[in-house]
Short mmCIF file of all heavy atoms in Angstrom, two decimals:
data_model
loop_
_atom_site.label_atom_id
_atom_site.label_comp_id
_atom_site.label_asym_id
_atom_site.label_seq_id
_atom_site.Cartn_x
_atom_site.Cartn_y
_atom_site.Cartn_z
N MET M 1 -69.00 -21.89 -85.51
CA MET M 1 -69.90 -20.95 -86.11
C MET M 1 -69.28 -20.39 -87.38
O MET M 1 -68.13 -20.00 -87.41
CB MET M 1 -70.20 -19.83 -85.12
CG MET M 1 -71.12 -18.77 -85.65
SD MET M 1 -71.42 -17.51 -84.42
CE MET M 1 -73.12 -17.83 -84.13
N LYS M 2 -70.06 -20.35 -88.42
CA LYS M 2 -69.59 -19.88 -89.73
C LYS M 2 -69.93 -18.40 -89.89
O LYS M 2 -71.09 -18.01 -89.73
CB LYS M 2 -70.28 -20.70 -90.81
CG LYS M 2 -69.86 -20.38 -92.21
CD LYS M 2 -70.57 -21.30 -93.18
CE LYS M 2 -70.43 -20.80 -94.59
NZ LYS M 2 -71.22 -21.58 -95.52
N PRO M 3 -68.94 -17.54 -90.20
CA PRO M 3 -69.24 -16.12 -90.38
C PRO M 3 -70.07 -15.90 -91.65
O PRO M 3 -69.91 -16.59 -92.65
CB PRO M 3 -67.87 -15.46 -90.49
CG PRO M 3 -66.96 -16.55 -90.90
CD PRO M 3 -67.54 -17.84 -90.37
N ARG M 4 -70.96 -14.93 -91.57
CA ARG M 4 -71.79 -14.61 -92.74
C ARG M 4 -71.07 -13.62 -93.64
O ARG M 4 -70.27 -12.82 -93.19
CB ARG M 4 -73.09 -13.97 -92.29
CG ARG M 4 -73.99 -14.93 -91.59
CD ARG M 4 -75.36 -14.30 -91.49
NE ARG M 4 -75.88 -14.52 -90.16
CZ ARG M 4 -76.89 -13.85 -89.66
NH1 ARG M 4 -77.47 -12.91 -90.35
NH2 ARG M 4 -77.32 -14.10 -88.46
N ASP M 5 -71.38 -13.68 -94.92
CA ASP M 5 -70.82 -12.76 -95.90
C ASP M 5 -71.48 -11.40 -95.70
O ASP M 5 -72.70 -11.27 -95.77
CB ASP M 5 -71.09 -13.29 -97.31
CG ASP M 5 -70.45 -12.44 -98.38
OD1 ASP M 5 -69.71 -11.49 -98.04
OD2 ASP M 5 -70.68 -12.73 -99.56
N ILE M 6 -70.67 -10.38 -95.42
CA ILE M 6 -71.20 -9.05 -95.12
C ILE M 6 -71.91 -8.42 -96.32
O ILE M 6 -72.78 -7.58 -96.16
CB ILE M 6 -70.07 -8.14 -94.59
CG1 ILE M 6 -70.66 -6.95 -93.85
CG2 ILE M 6 -69.18 -7.68 -95.71
CD1 ILE M 6 -69.64 -6.19 -93.05
N SER M 7 -71.58 -8.86 -97.52
CA SER M 7 -72.23 -8.29 -98.71
C SER M 7 -73.70 -8.69 -98.80
O SER M 7 -74.45 -8.10 -99.58
CB SER M 7 -71.49 -8.72 -99.98
OG SER M 7 -71.58 -10.12 -100.14
N ASN M 8 -74.13 -9.65 -97.99
CA ASN M 8 -75.53 -10.06 -97.98
C ASN M 8 -76.32 -9.46 -96.82
O ASN M 8 -77.47 -9.83 -96.59
CB ASN M 8 -75.63 -11.59 -97.90
CG ASN M 8 -75.05 -12.24 -99.13
OD1 ASN M 8 -75.15 -11.71 -100.23
ND2 ASN M 8 -74.42 -13.38 -98.95
N ALA M 9 -75.73 -8.53 -96.07
CA ALA M 9 -76.40 -7.92 -94.93
C ALA M 9 -77.61 -7.11 -95.38
O ALA M 9 -77.63 -6.55 -96.48
CB ALA M 9 -75.43 -7.03 -94.17
N ARG M 10 -78.61 -7.05 -94.53
CA ARG M 10 -79.81 -6.26 -94.85
C ARG M 10 -79.54 -4.77 -94.78
O ARG M 10 -80.11 -4.00 -95.54
CB ARG M 10 -80.93 -6.61 -93.88
CG ARG M 10 -81.49 -7.97 -94.08
CD ARG M 10 -82.66 -8.19 -93.16
NE ARG M 10 -82.78 -9.61 -92.91
CZ ARG M 10 -83.36 -10.14 -91.87
NH1 ARG M 10 -83.88 -9.37 -90.95
NH2 ARG M 10 -83.43 -11.45 -91.74
N ASN M 11 -78.70 -4.38 -93.85
CA ASN M 11 -78.41 -2.96 -93.65
C ASN M 11 -77.47 -2.46 -94.74
O ASN M 11 -76.36 -2.96 -94.89
CB ASN M 11 -77.77 -2.78 -92.27
CG ASN M 11 -77.53 -1.34 -91.91
OD1 ASN M 11 -77.13 -0.55 -92.75
ND2 ASN M 11 -77.75 -1.01 -90.65
N PRO M 12 -77.89 -1.45 -95.50
CA PRO M 12 -77.03 -0.96 -96.60
C PRO M 12 -75.72 -0.34 -96.10
O PRO M 12 -74.71 -0.42 -96.79
CB PRO M 12 -77.89 0.07 -97.32
CG PRO M 12 -78.98 0.42 -96.37
CD PRO M 12 -79.16 -0.74 -95.46
N ASP M 13 -75.75 0.26 -94.90
CA ASP M 13 -74.51 0.82 -94.36
C ASP M 13 -73.51 -0.29 -94.05
O ASP M 13 -72.31 -0.13 -94.27
CB ASP M 13 -74.79 1.62 -93.09
CG ASP M 13 -75.53 2.91 -93.37
OD1 ASP M 13 -75.43 3.41 -94.51
OD2 ASP M 13 -76.21 3.42 -92.45
N LEU M 14 -73.99 -1.38 -93.55
CA LEU M 14 -73.12 -2.51 -93.26
C LEU M 14 -72.55 -3.10 -94.54
O LEU M 14 -71.36 -3.43 -94.62
CB LEU M 14 -73.88 -3.58 -92.48
CG LEU M 14 -73.08 -4.72 -91.88
CD1 LEU M 14 -71.97 -4.20 -90.98
CD2 LEU M 14 -73.99 -5.64 -91.09
N ARG M 15 -73.36 -3.20 -95.58
CA ARG M 15 -72.87 -3.71 -96.87
C ARG M 15 -71.78 -2.80 -97.43
O ARG M 15 -70.81 -3.26 -98.01
CB ARG M 15 -74.01 -3.83 -97.87
CG ARG M 15 -74.95 -4.98 -97.62
CD ARG M 15 -75.87 -5.22 -98.80
NE ARG M 15 -76.59 -4.05 -99.24
CZ ARG M 15 -77.83 -3.72 -98.88
NH1 ARG M 15 -78.51 -4.50 -98.05
NH2 ARG M 15 -78.41 -2.65 -99.35
N ALA M 16 -71.94 -1.49 -97.25
CA ALA M 16 -70.99 -0.52 -97.81
C ALA M 16 -69.74 -0.38 -96.94
O ALA M 16 -68.75 0.19 -97.40
CB ALA M 16 -71.67 0.83 -97.97
N SER M 17 -69.76 -0.90 -95.73
CA SER M 17 -68.63 -0.69 -94.82
C SER M 17 -67.34 -1.32 -95.32
O SER M 17 -66.25 -0.77 -95.10
CB SER M 17 -68.97 -1.21 -93.42
OG SER M 17 -69.13 -2.61 -93.43
N GLN M 18 -67.42 -2.45 -95.99
CA GLN M 18 -66.20 -3.10 -96.48
C GLN M 18 -65.50 -2.22 -97.53
O GLN M 18 -64.28 -2.05 -97.49
CB GLN M 18 -66.54 -4.46 -97.07
CG GLN M 18 -65.32 -5.29 -97.35
CD GLN M 18 -65.67 -6.72 -97.70
OE1 GLN M 18 -66.78 -7.02 -98.13
NE2 GLN M 18 -64.73 -7.61 -97.53
N ALA M 19 -66.27 -1.64 -98.43
CA ALA M 19 -65.67 -0.74 -99.43
C ALA M 19 -65.08 0.50 -98.76
O ALA M 19 -64.02 0.99 -99.15
CB ALA M 19 -66.71 -0.35 -100.47
N ALA M 20 -65.78 1.01 -97.73
CA ALA M 20 -65.28 2.19 -97.02
C ALA M 20 -63.96 1.88 -96.32
O ALA M 20 -63.04 2.71 -96.31
CB ALA M 20 -66.33 2.66 -96.01
N LEU M 21 -63.85 0.70 -95.73
CA LEU M 21 -62.60 0.32 -95.08
C LEU M 21 -61.46 0.19 -96.09
O LEU M 21 -60.33 0.57 -95.80
CB LEU M 21 -62.78 -0.99 -94.32
CG LEU M 21 -63.57 -0.89 -93.02
CD1 LEU M 21 -63.89 -2.28 -92.48
CD2 LEU M 21 -62.80 -0.09 -91.99
N ARG M 22 -61.77 -0.32 -97.26
CA ARG M 22 -60.74 -0.42 -98.31
C ARG M 22 -60.27 0.97 -98.76
O ARG M 22 -59.08 1.19 -98.97
CB ARG M 22 -61.25 -1.21 -99.50
CG ARG M 22 -61.41 -2.68 -99.21
CD ARG M 22 -61.93 -3.41 -100.46
NE ARG M 22 -62.46 -4.71 -100.13
CZ ARG M 22 -61.73 -5.81 -100.05
NH1 ARG M 22 -60.46 -5.77 -100.29
NH2 ARG M 22 -62.31 -6.96 -99.74
N ARG M 23 -61.23 1.89 -98.91
CA ARG M 23 -60.86 3.27 -99.29
C ARG M 23 -60.01 3.91 -98.20
O ARG M 23 -59.01 4.60 -98.49
CB ARG M 23 -62.10 4.11 -99.56
CG ARG M 23 -62.82 3.78 -100.85
CD ARG M 23 -63.88 4.81 -101.18
NE ARG M 23 -64.84 5.05 -100.12
CZ ARG M 23 -65.98 4.37 -99.94
NH1 ARG M 23 -66.30 3.40 -100.79
NH2 ARG M 23 -66.79 4.66 -98.95
N ALA M 24 -60.38 3.71 -96.95
CA ALA M 24 -59.62 4.28 -95.83
C ALA M 24 -58.21 3.71 -95.78
O ALA M 24 -57.25 4.45 -95.52
CB ALA M 24 -60.35 4.03 -94.52
N ALA M 25 -58.07 2.42 -96.02
CA ALA M 25 -56.74 1.80 -96.02
C ALA M 25 -55.89 2.35 -97.15
O ALA M 25 -54.69 2.64 -96.96
CB ALA M 25 -56.88 0.28 -96.14
N ALA M 26 -56.48 2.53 -98.32
CA ALA M 26 -55.73 3.08 -99.46
C ALA M 26 -55.29 4.51 -99.15
O ALA M 26 -54.15 4.90 -99.46
CB ALA M 26 -56.59 3.04 -100.71
N LEU M 27 -56.16 5.30 -98.53
CA LEU M 27 -55.81 6.67 -98.18
C LEU M 27 -54.71 6.70 -97.12
O LEU M 27 -53.80 7.53 -97.19
CB LEU M 27 -57.04 7.43 -97.69
CG LEU M 27 -56.84 8.90 -97.36
CD1 LEU M 27 -56.29 9.66 -98.57
CD2 LEU M 27 -58.14 9.51 -96.88
N ALA M 28 -54.76 5.77 -96.16
CA ALA M 28 -53.71 5.70 -95.13
C ALA M 28 -52.36 5.36 -95.77
O ALA M 28 -51.34 5.94 -95.40
CB ALA M 28 -54.08 4.67 -94.08
N ARG M 29 -52.36 4.42 -96.73
CA ARG M 29 -51.11 4.09 -97.43
C ARG M 29 -50.58 5.30 -98.20
O ARG M 29 -49.38 5.60 -98.15
CB ARG M 29 -51.32 2.91 -98.37
CG ARG M 29 -51.43 1.58 -97.66
CD ARG M 29 -51.39 0.40 -98.63
NE ARG M 29 -52.49 0.43 -99.59
CZ ARG M 29 -53.69 -0.07 -99.37
NH1 ARG M 29 -53.97 -0.66 -98.22
NH2 ARG M 29 -54.62 0.00 -100.29
N LYS M 30 -51.47 6.00 -98.91
CA LYS M 30 -51.05 7.18 -99.68
C LYS M 30 -50.50 8.27 -98.76
O LYS M 30 -49.46 8.86 -99.04
CB LYS M 30 -52.21 7.73 -100.50
CG LYS M 30 -51.82 8.91 -101.35
CD LYS M 30 -53.00 9.43 -102.14
CE LYS M 30 -52.66 10.59 -103.03
NZ LYS M 30 -51.74 11.57 -102.52
N THR M 31 -51.16 8.51 -97.65
CA THR M 31 -50.71 9.52 -96.70
C THR M 31 -49.34 9.16 -96.13
O THR M 31 -48.46 10.02 -96.02
CB THR M 31 -51.73 9.68 -95.56
OG1 THR M 31 -52.99 10.06 -96.11
CG2 THR M 31 -51.28 10.72 -94.55
N ALA M 32 -49.13 7.89 -95.81
CA ALA M 32 -47.83 7.45 -95.29
C ALA M 32 -46.74 7.64 -96.34
O ALA M 32 -45.64 8.10 -96.01
CB ALA M 32 -47.91 5.99 -94.85
N MET M 33 -47.04 7.31 -97.58
CA MET M 33 -46.04 7.48 -98.65
C MET M 33 -45.74 8.96 -98.86
O MET M 33 -44.58 9.34 -99.01
CB MET M 33 -46.53 6.85 -99.95
CG MET M 33 -46.49 5.34 -99.93
SD MET M 33 -46.90 4.60 -101.52
CE MET M 33 -48.68 4.78 -101.55
N ASP M 34 -46.78 9.80 -98.89
CA ASP M 34 -46.59 11.23 -99.13
C ASP M 34 -45.81 11.92 -98.01
O ASP M 34 -45.02 12.83 -98.26
CB ASP M 34 -47.93 11.94 -99.30
CG ASP M 34 -48.64 11.55 -100.59
OD1 ASP M 34 -48.00 10.93 -101.47
OD2 ASP M 34 -49.85 11.86 -100.72
N SER M 35 -46.03 11.47 -96.78
CA SER M 35 -45.39 12.12 -95.63
C SER M 35 -44.09 11.42 -95.21
O SER M 35 -43.37 11.92 -94.34
CB SER M 35 -46.35 12.16 -94.44
OG SER M 35 -46.69 10.86 -94.02
N GLY M 36 -43.81 10.27 -95.82
CA GLY M 36 -42.58 9.55 -95.50
C GLY M 36 -42.59 8.90 -94.13
O GLY M 36 -41.54 8.71 -93.53
N THR M 37 -43.77 8.57 -93.64
CA THR M 37 -43.88 7.95 -92.32
C THR M 37 -44.23 6.46 -92.45
O THR M 37 -44.71 6.02 -93.49
CB THR M 37 -44.96 8.63 -91.47
OG1 THR M 37 -46.21 8.58 -92.16
CG2 THR M 37 -44.60 10.08 -91.21
N ASP M 38 -44.00 5.73 -91.38
CA ASP M 38 -44.35 4.32 -91.36
C ASP M 38 -45.85 4.15 -91.20
O ASP M 38 -46.53 4.98 -90.59
CB ASP M 38 -43.66 3.61 -90.19
CG ASP M 38 -42.16 3.48 -90.37
OD1 ASP M 38 -41.66 3.82 -91.46
OD2 ASP M 38 -41.50 3.06 -89.41
N LEU M 39 -46.36 3.07 -91.75
CA LEU M 39 -47.75 2.68 -91.56
C LEU M 39 -47.74 1.54 -90.54
O LEU M 39 -46.97 0.59 -90.68
CB LEU M 39 -48.35 2.21 -92.89
CG LEU M 39 -49.81 1.84 -92.89
CD1 LEU M 39 -50.66 3.07 -92.64
CD2 LEU M 39 -50.19 1.22 -94.22
N VAL M 40 -48.57 1.66 -89.51
CA VAL M 40 -48.63 0.64 -88.47
C VAL M 40 -49.91 -0.16 -88.68
O VAL M 40 -51.00 0.39 -88.72
CB VAL M 40 -48.60 1.27 -87.07
CG1 VAL M 40 -48.69 0.20 -86.00
CG2 VAL M 40 -47.35 2.11 -86.88
N VAL M 41 -49.76 -1.48 -88.85
CA VAL M 41 -50.89 -2.37 -89.08
C VAL M 41 -50.77 -3.59 -88.17
O VAL M 41 -49.73 -3.83 -87.58
CB VAL M 41 -50.98 -2.83 -90.55
CG1 VAL M 41 -51.19 -1.66 -91.49
CG2 VAL M 41 -49.74 -3.60 -90.95
N VAL M 42 -51.86 -4.33 -88.07
CA VAL M 42 -51.84 -5.58 -87.32
C VAL M 42 -51.99 -6.71 -88.33
O VAL M 42 -52.95 -6.75 -89.10
CB VAL M 42 -52.98 -5.63 -86.28
CG1 VAL M 42 -53.01 -6.97 -85.59
CG2 VAL M 42 -52.83 -4.50 -85.28
N ARG M 43 -51.02 -7.62 -88.33
CA ARG M 43 -51.05 -8.80 -89.20
C ARG M 43 -50.91 -10.03 -88.33
O ARG M 43 -49.93 -10.15 -87.58
CB ARG M 43 -49.91 -8.76 -90.22
CG ARG M 43 -50.11 -7.74 -91.29
CD ARG M 43 -49.12 -7.94 -92.41
NE ARG M 43 -49.35 -6.95 -93.45
CZ ARG M 43 -48.44 -6.53 -94.29
NH1 ARG M 43 -47.23 -7.02 -94.23
NH2 ARG M 43 -48.75 -5.65 -95.21
N GLU M 44 -51.88 -10.91 -88.46
CA GLU M 44 -51.88 -12.16 -87.68
C GLU M 44 -51.69 -11.89 -86.19
O GLU M 44 -50.94 -12.57 -85.50
CB GLU M 44 -50.81 -13.11 -88.21
CG GLU M 44 -51.03 -13.51 -89.66
CD GLU M 44 -49.96 -14.43 -90.20
OE1 GLU M 44 -49.09 -14.88 -89.43
OE2 GLU M 44 -50.00 -14.71 -91.41
N GLY M 45 -52.33 -10.83 -85.70
CA GLY M 45 -52.29 -10.51 -84.29
C GLY M 45 -51.04 -9.79 -83.81
O GLY M 45 -50.90 -9.51 -82.62
N ARG M 46 -50.15 -9.46 -84.72
CA ARG M 46 -48.90 -8.78 -84.35
C ARG M 46 -48.87 -7.38 -84.97
O ARG M 46 -49.27 -7.19 -86.11
CB ARG M 46 -47.70 -9.57 -84.85
CG ARG M 46 -47.66 -10.98 -84.24
CD ARG M 46 -46.45 -11.69 -84.63
NE ARG M 46 -45.35 -11.14 -83.81
CZ ARG M 46 -44.11 -11.55 -83.88
NH1 ARG M 46 -43.77 -12.48 -84.73
NH2 ARG M 46 -43.19 -11.03 -83.10
N THR M 47 -48.36 -6.42 -84.21
CA THR M 47 -48.21 -5.05 -84.71
C THR M 47 -46.98 -4.99 -85.60
O THR M 47 -45.90 -5.42 -85.20
CB THR M 47 -48.06 -4.07 -83.54
OG1 THR M 47 -49.20 -4.21 -82.68
CG2 THR M 47 -47.99 -2.64 -84.04
N VAL M 48 -47.17 -4.45 -86.80
CA VAL M 48 -46.09 -4.39 -87.79
C VAL M 48 -45.98 -2.97 -88.33
O VAL M 48 -46.99 -2.32 -88.60
CB VAL M 48 -46.40 -5.35 -88.97
CG1 VAL M 48 -45.31 -5.29 -90.03
CG2 VAL M 48 -46.59 -6.77 -88.49
N ARG M 49 -44.76 -2.48 -88.45
CA ARG M 49 -44.51 -1.16 -89.05
C ARG M 49 -44.04 -1.39 -90.49
O ARG M 49 -43.12 -2.16 -90.73
CB ARG M 49 -43.44 -0.41 -88.29
CG ARG M 49 -43.85 -0.06 -86.88
CD ARG M 49 -42.71 0.63 -86.15
NE ARG M 49 -42.59 2.01 -86.53
CZ ARG M 49 -43.18 3.01 -85.88
NH1 ARG M 49 -43.91 2.76 -84.83
NH2 ARG M 49 -43.03 4.26 -86.29
N ILE M 50 -44.67 -0.68 -91.43
CA ILE M 50 -44.29 -0.78 -92.84
C ILE M 50 -43.76 0.59 -93.25
O ILE M 50 -44.47 1.59 -93.15
CB ILE M 50 -45.50 -1.17 -93.72
CG1 ILE M 50 -46.13 -2.47 -93.21
CG2 ILE M 50 -45.06 -1.31 -95.17
CD1 ILE M 50 -47.44 -2.81 -93.87
N SER M 51 -42.53 0.62 -93.71
CA SER M 51 -41.92 1.91 -94.06
C SER M 51 -42.54 2.47 -95.33
O SER M 51 -43.10 1.74 -96.16
CB SER M 51 -40.41 1.73 -94.27
OG SER M 51 -40.16 1.02 -95.46
N ALA M 52 -42.41 3.78 -95.48
CA ALA M 52 -42.92 4.44 -96.68
C ALA M 52 -42.23 3.91 -97.93
O ALA M 52 -42.87 3.76 -98.98
CB ALA M 52 -42.72 5.95 -96.56
N ASP M 53 -40.95 3.60 -97.83
CA ASP M 53 -40.22 3.05 -98.98
C ASP M 53 -40.80 1.70 -99.40
O ASP M 53 -40.95 1.42 -100.59
CB ASP M 53 -38.73 2.90 -98.67
CG ASP M 53 -38.03 4.24 -98.55
OD1 ASP M 53 -38.51 5.22 -99.15
OD2 ASP M 53 -37.00 4.31 -97.85
N THR M 54 -41.13 0.87 -98.43
CA THR M 54 -41.74 -0.43 -98.73
C THR M 54 -43.10 -0.24 -99.38
O THR M 54 -43.44 -0.93 -100.34
CB THR M 54 -41.86 -1.27 -97.44
OG1 THR M 54 -40.56 -1.47 -96.89
CG2 THR M 54 -42.51 -2.62 -97.72
N LEU M 55 -43.88 0.70 -98.87
CA LEU M 55 -45.19 0.99 -99.45
C LEU M 55 -45.06 1.46 -100.90
O LEU M 55 -45.83 1.05 -101.77
CB LEU M 55 -45.93 2.05 -98.62
CG LEU M 55 -46.37 1.62 -97.23
CD1 LEU M 55 -46.84 2.84 -96.43
CD2 LEU M 55 -47.46 0.58 -97.31
N ARG M 56 -44.06 2.30 -101.15
CA ARG M 56 -43.84 2.78 -102.52
C ARG M 56 -43.46 1.62 -103.44
O ARG M 56 -43.93 1.54 -104.58
CB ARG M 56 -42.75 3.84 -102.53
CG ARG M 56 -43.18 5.16 -101.94
CD ARG M 56 -42.07 6.22 -102.05
NE ARG M 56 -42.36 7.33 -101.19
CZ ARG M 56 -41.73 7.59 -100.04
NH1 ARG M 56 -40.73 6.83 -99.64
NH2 ARG M 56 -42.07 8.62 -99.30
N SER M 57 -42.60 0.73 -102.96
CA SER M 57 -42.20 -0.43 -103.76
C SER M 57 -43.40 -1.32 -104.06
O SER M 57 -43.55 -1.82 -105.18
CB SER M 57 -41.14 -1.25 -103.03
OG SER M 57 -39.98 -0.50 -102.84
N GLN M 58 -44.25 -1.54 -103.06
CA GLN M 58 -45.44 -2.36 -103.25
C GLN M 58 -46.39 -1.70 -104.25
O GLN M 58 -46.97 -2.39 -105.10
CB GLN M 58 -46.15 -2.59 -101.93
CG GLN M 58 -45.41 -3.51 -101.00
CD GLN M 58 -46.05 -3.60 -99.62
OE1 GLN M 58 -46.93 -2.82 -99.26
NE2 GLN M 58 -45.61 -4.56 -98.84
N ALA M 59 -46.55 -0.39 -104.15
CA ALA M 59 -47.44 0.33 -105.07
C ALA M 59 -46.92 0.24 -106.50
O ALA M 59 -47.69 0.04 -107.44
CB ALA M 59 -47.57 1.79 -104.63
N LYS M 60 -45.59 0.35 -106.66
CA LYS M 60 -45.00 0.25 -108.00
C LYS M 60 -45.22 -1.16 -108.56
O LYS M 60 -45.58 -1.32 -109.73
CB LYS M 60 -43.51 0.57 -107.96
CG LYS M 60 -42.84 0.54 -109.32
CD LYS M 60 -41.38 0.85 -109.23
CE LYS M 60 -40.68 0.86 -110.56
NZ LYS M 60 -41.01 -0.17 -111.48
N ALA M 61 -45.01 -2.17 -107.73
CA ALA M 61 -45.21 -3.55 -108.18
C ALA M 61 -46.67 -3.78 -108.58
O ALA M 61 -46.94 -4.45 -109.58
CB ALA M 61 -44.80 -4.53 -107.08
N ASP M 62 -47.61 -3.23 -107.80
CA ASP M 62 -49.03 -3.35 -108.14
C ASP M 62 -49.36 -2.68 -109.47
O ASP M 62 -50.11 -3.23 -110.28
CB ASP M 62 -49.91 -2.76 -107.03
CG ASP M 62 -49.88 -3.57 -105.74
OD1 ASP M 62 -49.42 -4.74 -105.79
OD2 ASP M 62 -50.31 -3.04 -104.71
N ARG M 63 -48.77 -1.50 -109.69
CA ARG M 63 -49.00 -0.80 -110.97
C ARG M 63 -48.42 -1.60 -112.13
O ARG M 63 -49.02 -1.69 -113.19
CB ARG M 63 -48.38 0.59 -110.93
CG ARG M 63 -49.18 1.61 -110.14
CD ARG M 63 -48.67 3.02 -110.35
NE ARG M 63 -47.26 3.20 -110.13
CZ ARG M 63 -46.70 3.52 -108.94
NH1 ARG M 63 -47.46 3.70 -107.90
NH2 ARG M 63 -45.41 3.67 -108.83
N ASP M 64 -47.23 -2.17 -111.92
CA ASP M 64 -46.60 -2.96 -112.99
C ASP M 64 -47.42 -4.21 -113.32
O ASP M 64 -47.51 -4.60 -114.48
CB ASP M 64 -45.18 -3.38 -112.59
CG ASP M 64 -44.22 -2.19 -112.54
OD1 ASP M 64 -44.57 -1.11 -113.07
OD2 ASP M 64 -43.13 -2.33 -111.95
N LEU M 65 -48.02 -4.83 -112.33
CA LEU M 65 -48.86 -6.01 -112.56
C LEU M 65 -50.15 -5.65 -113.31
O LEU M 65 -50.67 -6.46 -114.07
CB LEU M 65 -49.22 -6.68 -111.24
CG LEU M 65 -48.14 -7.51 -110.58
CD1 LEU M 65 -48.62 -8.03 -109.24
CD2 LEU M 65 -47.75 -8.67 -111.48
N ALA M 66 -50.63 -4.43 -113.08
CA ALA M 66 -51.89 -4.01 -113.70
C ALA M 66 -51.72 -3.74 -115.20
O ALA M 66 -52.69 -3.70 -115.94
CB ALA M 66 -52.41 -2.76 -113.01
N ARG M 67 -50.49 -3.60 -115.64
CA ARG M 67 -50.25 -3.30 -117.05
C ARG M 67 -50.40 -4.49 -117.92
O ARG M 67 -50.46 -5.55 -117.84
CB ARG M 67 -48.86 -2.73 -117.25
CG ARG M 67 -48.75 -1.36 -116.68
CD ARG M 67 -47.38 -0.81 -116.91
NE ARG M 67 -47.28 0.47 -116.23
CZ ARG M 67 -46.19 1.18 -116.20
NH1 ARG M 67 -45.12 0.78 -116.81
NH2 ARG M 67 -46.17 2.31 -115.59
#
């Protein structure tokens, strides 16, 4: 079964959910960096802790690439 592209959903809330999840993830990363706590995520089915220092390094690298 082939998954459908959510951006083509009839329901406007469903179409907007992907952007909302991206905003929530960005806010979670910012909160972890500001508070100095680890961010816990699931990658490829495994629970992974990402330190605030790693998040800061990734954010700096992203900013440098955007220049």
